[in-house]
Amino acid sequence: MTTGLIPGGQTPDPRPSSTRPPHQRGDLTGQGAPHVDDRPRSSVITARAAASFEPVGRSVATARSFVRDTLQGWGFADIIDDAVVLTSELVTNAVVHAGTHADVLCLRSAEGVRIEVSDRYPEREIPLQGSLATMGSPDREGGRGLQLCAAIAGRWGVEYTPTHKQVWFQLDLPDRPVGTRTAGPSLPADLLPLADSRVRVAVVQIDRTGAISAWNEDAEELFGYAADQVTGKPLTDLAAWPHTPGTSTGIVEALQLSRWEGSYGIRGANGRVTPVYASHLRVRDTDGEPSTVCLLVRDHERAVLQTPSRVPASDQGTTSDGQNTDPFEVFIGSPAPDDLDGLLQRTVERARDMLDGDSAFLLLATDDETELEVRASTGLPSARQRFARVPVEAGPGRYGSARMPAVHEDLLAVPGAVPLLNGTGMRSVVTVPLKVEGRLTGSLGVAAEASGRYSNEEALRLQFAADRIALAVESARLGELERLRRGSLSFLVEASDLLAGTLDRDQTLALMAQMTVPTLATWCAVYTIADQASDPYLSYVLHEDEEFIDGIKSLLSKIAPPDPVPTPGARVWGAPAAAAHDAALRSSMRSLGLTGGPNHQMSSGIGPTLATASAVGGETVVLPLVARNRVIGMLTLGKPTDEHFRQEILELAEDLSRRAALALDNARLYSERTAISQALQRSLLPPELPAIDGVEVEVIYRAAGEGNEVGGDFYDLFPISDGAYGFAIGDVCGTGPNAAAVTGLARHALRLLAREGLSGPAVLERLNSAILDEGARSRFLTLLYGEMRPQEDGSAELKVVCAGHPLPLRLRQDGTVEAAAEPQPLLGVMEDLELYEQTVTLDPGDVLLCVTDGVTERREGTRMLGDDGLADVLTTCTGLTAGAVAARIMRAVERFASDAPSDDMAILAMRVA
């Protein structure tokens, strides 16, 4: 920055502002145009100051300081705030939006100050067409600064040269008596404030402990106590302090503040309470001992002590053309942002400019008013601070409470007084509360890098602004909360539908992660707990960028999992960020050769390590997954470096975790019961088929119903003795578990009875009796049972009993198909059965096909495959192996109808080689 100060002298008359700029289209001086000065300006310039600023963001703050210092030196304190705000906007347009140097020229005259801001981008047009109401969004380049010029400045205009574009404004000095700091107009006597004929100002000094150490004569007259009666007593014994609902502020806290003004009562010697207006000032003596000086007057005489409200020129209620303006719109800009984040960001920028600060921040209170959440900042690392939370009450004495204004002249003297500013280089800060109907809704603060920048006067000005924006902020916040709640309900409904749509454990874990990333968090990890004796197990990891998943999974596998605490709600877990930081530090040291070992092999891995550290370096929270009064896992959500979770997001994540926990537990129970069911069902089927010399055997089995491995159909092939093998294929009435129970009874009974040496009819008769003994649980059963004995000549002899079952078919080598048995009564219906067996000899190359009725009764509309259709398919299987025959039969059945089979099917094919 280069500056120059030239006292005295006279400036050449600039060109009239009504001159049409070469690059500006439209009539700027017609009806509805912005208010510009078209009169020649020939005032005597008594001083000028110039400065040039580079096109960097820091130049805006430097320009504000330059203008403030210049006008302060000229004694123009009344217009400093307006000049700083307008200069800040115009310099921002030049160095940020136009990207050029900004030249600032301050001219002093007897009437006021003219400030000119020039940039070196004359081709960039200024949106001056039409009225101010149609100048476009205040957020567009150039729009907001000109709107403020129109609202605040007495005169303003835009001028162009071939190399520069200049926006100027003039602020006139208010009429006031020379030499006074502040003055009011002369008023008629009946408009002056009332006071007694003898105004008494009580001066009371309070020591470090809160006890009275000094009590003047006016205090004795006002309250009736002599000095020796009250000296050494706490002021709280005399004060009647009004506790404002929602503030929790008492006189002890007020006495600790550097400055305080307000009303309370003093109990006099006569027992009556005298309302007083007080002004407190915290001082220290030459030994460094602090005390508080209290000036007290009767409440109706408060005008004696009360600090007059300092209303900036922009808040006077009218523009230069006499139109009424809204102080809120003048502070924020018109139109005000319609979204909460935009409104808060505009507020902190305005507050920073108003107090010429280096940074500003705004925090919103949580619903219970116990914490404040950072929602907007400028001049601070916003990514790191956004959504960070600080307590409303910083200490037991609430000296740092956000419920009251506070001024810190030097943060180095009070370390940690404002945690948000730790490590930012800020030295002085002023904070004020935002309250709506006595309830704390937020806190607004402005900070500077220099110490001693702010006093009680700046706190009053900032509080003045905060009072005007509090209602708008609260209204916008409630609107945002309502939108978030509606979105949350929609999110939870959709999540519940998705979780209820699956009973697969792995799919449930994947859904949990996919619903949280990136909607609620940047990354997440799901830990599961098998039982109370098991440790948490890392089951699933997801990041919005798939490249980070392996790195996060590796990092989490190296640290102890979070404790499975059943307490509801999210709790912060710092282990991942700490581990990532340590890993990145070690990798960096190795890459630099600081560990003493070789570094050429490790340098290639530093990139992924640092990326992982950044990905998990933010806030990490853990939510327990509790179902049926048991912790079954933990849902871990994380943010990248310097990011925090919003309270609303954590509440939504807590709701999701409850639903996800129940879905995960349901999936676990379903998986366990499915595994048990499948194990039991598999026990009903033969473990494996025996190898028979000279005979090929193939079985195809399909149980109807999802998840069923065994139904009412069954098969078996087992050795009996002396080279004989028993085989069976049957069909129990019905499907599902009840039919499967009878299936188990039949298969195991057949094996036992056959190995006792009984003939086929005797085996089936005893099985019939066993089924009938089941009583109400009994079901009728069709069964084909036979015994096979391979012969030395290569053939095979079969003895077959067909009890109500579809007849077995024999395929000869010449392609002919014939039934290999005759039908007989089924089992489970009558007690006395007369069964007989038939003998069949299979020559080499012959095939015996046995099926259940699920094959022959396959339907497509009114058509049915039937015995004839099955025989037709079998005639095409000449020369095929047993496996090929069974497969061709199954394909024919599947192709016969498009619908899924509704009945169990079993196919047993045996071919003599």
Side-chain angles (χ1 to χ4, degrees):
M1 180 188 77
T2 59
T3 63
L5 182 63
I6 307 98
Q10 185 171 359
T11 184
D13 291 342
R15 294 172 298 142
S17 64
S18 59
T19 302
R20 183 169 180 171
H23 297 282
Q24 184 68 38
R25 296 183 295 273
D27 185 5
L28 303 182
T29 60
Q31 184 177 5
H35 178 69
V36 297
D37 181 26
D38 57 1
R39 297 171 297 171
R41 293 177 295 281
S42 57
S43 301
V44 175
I45 303 301
T46 59
R48 75 173 68 183
S52 180
F53 303 94
E54 297 179 354
V56 294
R58 183 63 183 169
S59 295
V60 179
T62 309
R64 290 198 303 267
S65 298
F66 164 70
V67 172
R68 180 176 294 277
D69 294 341
T70 299
L71 299 190
Q72 189 73 42
W74 290 347
F76 292 163
D78 293 306
I79 61 174
I80 285 179
D81 291 338
D82 293 339
V84 167
V85 169
L86 295 179
T87 303
S88 179
E89 288 295 337
L90 297 178
V91 172
T92 298
N93 288 341
V95 303
V96 175
H97 300 310
T100 75
H101 285 73
D103 300 323
V104 180
L105 175 64
C106 301
L107 303 175
R108 183 183 71 184
S109 66
E111 292 81 11
V113 172
R114 170 184 165 111
I115 297 179
E116 301 174 355
V117 179
S118 303
D119 67 46
R120 303 171 190 179
Y121 187 9
E123 292 82 4
R124 181 172 170 273
E125 299 177 357
I126 295 294
L128 295 178
Q129 301 178 14
S131 65
L132 289 175
T134 60
M135 287 174 67
S137 168
D139 293 317
R140 65 175 294 180
E141 298 179 8
R144 198 163 62 191
L146 298 180
Q147 286 182 339
L148 287 175
C149 286
I152 297 176
R155 292 185 295 276
W156 67 280
V158 184
E159 299 176 356
Y160 285 82
T161 70
T163 60
H164 289 74
K165 177 180 77 274
Q166 180 188 100
V167 180
W168 63 267
F169 61 89
Q170 182 161 331
L171 299 173
D172 298 329
L173 293 175
D175 294 332
R176 64 178 182 177
V178 177
T180 61
R181 178 179 180 274
T182 180
S186 299
L187 295 176
D190 57 347
L191 296 181
L192 297 175
L194 291 174
D196 292 346
S197 57
R198 166 78 162 83
V199 177
R200 298 185 182 275
V201 179
V203 180
V204 182
Q205 192 162 3
I206 311 299
D207 64 16
R208 175 196 294 271
T209 64
I212 298 172
S213 60
W215 185 270
N216 72 343
E217 294 180 358
D218 281 354
E220 293 181 3
E221 185 67 26
L222 285 175
F223 310 122
Y225 296 106
D228 57 356
Q229 291 180 283
V230 295
T231 301
K233 291 185 177 180
L235 181 61
T236 53
D237 290 352
L238 306 180
W241 188 264
H243 287 274
T244 304
T247 62
S248 301
T249 303
I251 189 171
V252 175
E253 289 78 17
L255 291 174
Q256 297 296 319
L257 299 178
S258 59
R259 288 182 181 272
W260 184 88
E261 261 186 50
S263 300
Y264 51 91
I266 296 292
R267 295 183 182 87
N270 57 6
R272 301 178 60 184
V273 175
T274 302
V276 298
Y277 189 83
S279 176
H280 298 176
L281 176 66
R282 189 79 165 161
V283 298
R284 60 173 177 160
D285 59 21
T286 55
D287 295 329
E289 183 68 16
S291 62
T292 302
V293 177
C294 305
L295 305 181
L296 311 175
V297 297
R298 294 183 178 92
D299 192 62
H300 64 274
E301 297 173 336
R302 64 170 56 199
V304 176
L305 298 179
Q306 189 171 24
T307 302
S309 298
R310 179 186 176 111
V311 182
S314 59
D315 289 333
Q316 297 297 327
T318 59
T319 59
S320 56
D321 57 4
Q323 296 180 351
N324 292 330
T325 59
D326 182 359
F328 168 77
E329 290 187 352
V330 173
F331 179 74
I332 294 298
S334 180
D338 55 2
D339 65 300
L340 178 61
D341 289 337
L343 176 63
L344 299 183
Q345 192 62 36
R346 184 81 61 81
T347 297
V348 297
E349 292 171 358
R350 286 287 182 271
R352 176 204 60 193
D353 296 347
M354 184 179 72
L355 297 187
D356 190 23
D358 297 306
S359 64
F361 51 89
L362 195 151
L363 303 88
L364 294 184
T366 55
D367 291 340
D368 57 3
E369 295 185 33
T370 60
E371 288 185 316
L372 293 168
E373 192 174 62
V374 180
R375 291 299 303 271
S377 64
T378 181
L380 296 175
S382 57
R384 175 170 67 89
Q385 303 295 349
R386 186 167 171 80
F387 300 124
R389 290 178 294 278
V390 297
V392 170
E393 312 294 352
R398 293 193 291 275
Y399 172 58
S401 173
R403 303 181 190 277
M404 298 183 65
V407 178
H408 293 280
E409 296 183 354
D410 192 350
L411 290 176
L412 294 182
V414 192
V418 184
L420 186 65
L421 300 180
N422 291 344
T424 62
M426 300 298 159
R427 293 283 298 276
S428 54
V429 61
V430 53
T431 61
V432 296
L434 278 69
K435 293 184 179 180
V436 176
E437 298 179 352
R439 186 176 65 84
L440 181 68
T441 188
S443 178
L444 176 62
V446 178
E449 294 179 352
S451 61
R453 286 282 296 275
Y454 303 117
S455 63
N456 192 54
E457 184 176 349
E458 281 76 20
L460 292 174
R461 290 165 56 199
L462 190 60
Q463 187 68 70
F464 179 86
D467 292 342
R468 278 151 180 77
I469 66 170
L471 185 59
V473 169
E474 179 68 2
S475 177
R477 187 176 76 93
L478 292 176
E480 182 191 65
L481 288 176
E482 181 62 24
R483 290 191 295 271
L484 284 174
R485 288 191 177 101
R486 288 199 299 267
S488 299
L489 288 175
S490 176
F491 173 80
L492 290 175
V493 168
E494 182 179 357
S496 299
D497 289 343
L498 290 173
L499 291 171
T502 179
L503 287 173
D504 181 82
R505 177 183 176 276
D506 293 338
Q507 189 173 359
T508 302
L509 290 173
L511 283 174
M512 289 170 57
Q514 291 166 7
M515 284 185 292
T516 57
V517 176
T519 305
L520 304 181
T522 306
W523 64 273
C524 88
V526 183
Y527 290 86
T528 56
I529 303 175
D531 52 60
Q532 295 181 353
S534 302
D535 294 328
Y537 174 75
L538 182 62
S539 298
Y540 202 92
V541 175
L542 184 66
H543 190 280
E544 61 182 5
D545 188 343
E546 294 182 357
E547 294 182 357
F548 292 108
I549 294 178
D550 291 339
I552 297 176
K553 187 181 299 183
S554 175
L555 176 70
L556 295 179
S557 64
K558 296 176 182 177
I559 61 178
D563 295 331
V565 179
T567 306
R571 70 181 191 275
V572 177
W573 185 33
H581 175 76
D582 292 343
L585 182 61
R586 289 194 300 269
S587 296
S588 299
M589 294 179 65
R590 284 195 295 265
S591 68
L592 297 174
L594 300 179
T595 59
N599 57 23
H600 63 279
Q601 296 180 350
M602 302 302 301
S603 59
S604 61
I606 187 173
T609 302
L610 294 178
T612 301
S614 176
V616 302
E619 188 175 44
T620 302
V621 297
V622 178
L623 298 105
L625 298 174
V626 181
R628 298 175 176 90
N629 299 320
R630 188 174 71 88
V631 179
I632 64 170
M634 285 88 69
L635 177 63
T636 303
L637 306 180
K639 288 280 190 179
T641 299
D642 297 338
E643 290 195 18
H644 299 263
F645 285 99
R646 297 182 57 175
Q647 185 64 31
E648 295 85 357
I649 295 298
L650 294 180
E651 293 172 357
L652 180 58
E654 186 178 354
D655 284 341
L656 176 64
S657 67
R658 288 194 291 266
R659 290 166 169 80
L662 187 59
L664 184 61
D665 199 45
N666 288 339
R668 177 187 64 82
L669 293 175
Y670 177 78
S671 298
E672 290 179 356
R673 293 180 182 180
T674 300
I676 294 172
S677 174
Q678 291 175 345
L680 292 175
Q681 291 183 62
R682 293 190 189 102
S683 69
L684 303 178
L685 295 176
E688 59 184 10
L689 297 177
I692 304 177
D693 293 338
V695 179
E696 299 173 0
V697 179
E698 183 64 27
V699 174
I700 297 179
Y701 185 87
R702 297 286 188 273
E706 183 179 359
N708 290 332
E709 294 195 15
V710 177
D713 290 7
F714 69 95
Y715 68 92
D716 202 357
L717 180 64
F718 54 92
I720 299 176
S721 62
D722 299 334
Y725 295 87
F727 66 91
I729 184 169
D731 184 4
V732 178
C733 174
T735 60
N738 293 329
V742 178
T743 295
L745 171 64
R747 194 177 70 82
H748 291 295
L750 282 175
R751 288 199 172 204
L752 290 173
L753 294 172
R755 287 171 177 170
E756 290 294 326
L758 299 176
S759 64
V763 168
L764 268 57
E765 288 171 1
R766 285 168 171 76
L767 175 60
N768 180 65
S769 299
I771 294 175
L772 292 176
D773 288 343
E774 291 293 308
R777 295 183 299 176
S778 65
R779 291 169 175 264
F780 64 81
L781 167 67
T782 67
L783 179 62
L784 171 65
Y785 173 74
E787 294 180 2
M788 174 187 294
R789 291 181 181 273
Q791 304 298 313
E792 293 181 359
D793 60 359
S795 63
E797 181 184 80
L798 282 68
K799 295 182 178 179
V800 182
V801 181
C802 186
H805 197 77
L807 299 179
L809 298 180
R810 176 182 181 180
L811 171 64
R812 296 182 181 273
Q813 294 188 57
D814 58 4
T816 58
V817 175
E818 61 184 12
E822 296 177 355
Q824 299 183 58
L826 52 78
L827 308 180
V829 179
M830 300 178 295
E831 292 185 1
D832 297 328
L833 291 180
E834 294 183 1
L835 302 175
Y836 58 92
E837 61 184 8
Q838 296 174 271
T839 300
V840 179
T841 299
L842 296 181
D843 297 327
D846 289 354
V847 175
L848 183 71
L849 178 65
C850 309
V851 299
T852 57
D853 59 4
V855 175
T856 56
E857 295 180 2
R858 178 69 166 156
R859 295 180 181 273
E860 174 68 23
T862 59
R863 298 185 309 117
M864 185 172 70
L865 180 62
D867 296 333
D868 294 338
L870 179 63
D872 292 340
V873 176
L874 185 59
T875 58
T876 64
C877 298
T878 304
L880 299 181
T881 63
V885 171
R888 179 168 295 187
I889 298 298
M890 178 55 70
R891 284 197 300 272
V893 172
E894 292 173 344
R895 293 173 180 173
F896 188 81
S898 58
D899 297 336
S902 58
D903 195 4
D904 304 327
M905 292 187 294
I907 300 173
L908 173 61
M910 294 183 291
R911 178 178 179 272
V912 179

